[in-house]
Amino acid sequence: MLHESDYAEFLPKLEELFREHGTLRVLFYADSDFRGWDMSAAWQDASLGFRHAADFERLALVGARDIAKSW
């Protein structure tokens, strides 16, 4: 599960990449151990999406074959 503390580490790195490259192509791979986001992390994720909606050239979320069974 992703937590707010994960975003505290991840967001500054992602913001730096936006500054450096402008737009990004992002692939998020959720393996079979992925269990989603807690509420704080989901809010951080949504806030990022609103702030940078035009900055993602492409964005894909790919799940492991059996991930739907784990939720």
Side-chain angles (χ1 to χ4, degrees):
M1 177 158 300
L2 288 172
H3 303 278
E4 186 174 14
S5 60
D6 297 316
Y7 278 81
E9 181 180 336
F10 170 69
L11 289 181
K13 293 175 184 177
L14 190 59
E15 294 285 355
E16 182 178 330
L17 290 170
F18 280 124
R19 283 190 299 276
E20 185 177 337
H21 300 286
T23 61
L24 299 177
R25 295 178 181 179
V26 176
L27 171 64
F28 179 85
Y29 177 73
D31 65 16
S32 58
D33 293 332
F34 182 67
R35 297 293 180 257
W37 293 260
D38 68 20
M39 288 305 293
S40 295
W43 178 254
Q44 292 291 323
D45 191 73
S47 296
L48 171 74
F50 290 133
R51 260 192 332 276
H52 290 287
D55 298 330
F56 289 100
E57 184 177 333
R58 300 197 191 283
L59 176 64
L61 170 61
V62 178
R65 184 173 188 82
D66 60 346
I67 195 166
K69 296 176 190 174
S70 66
W71 288 10

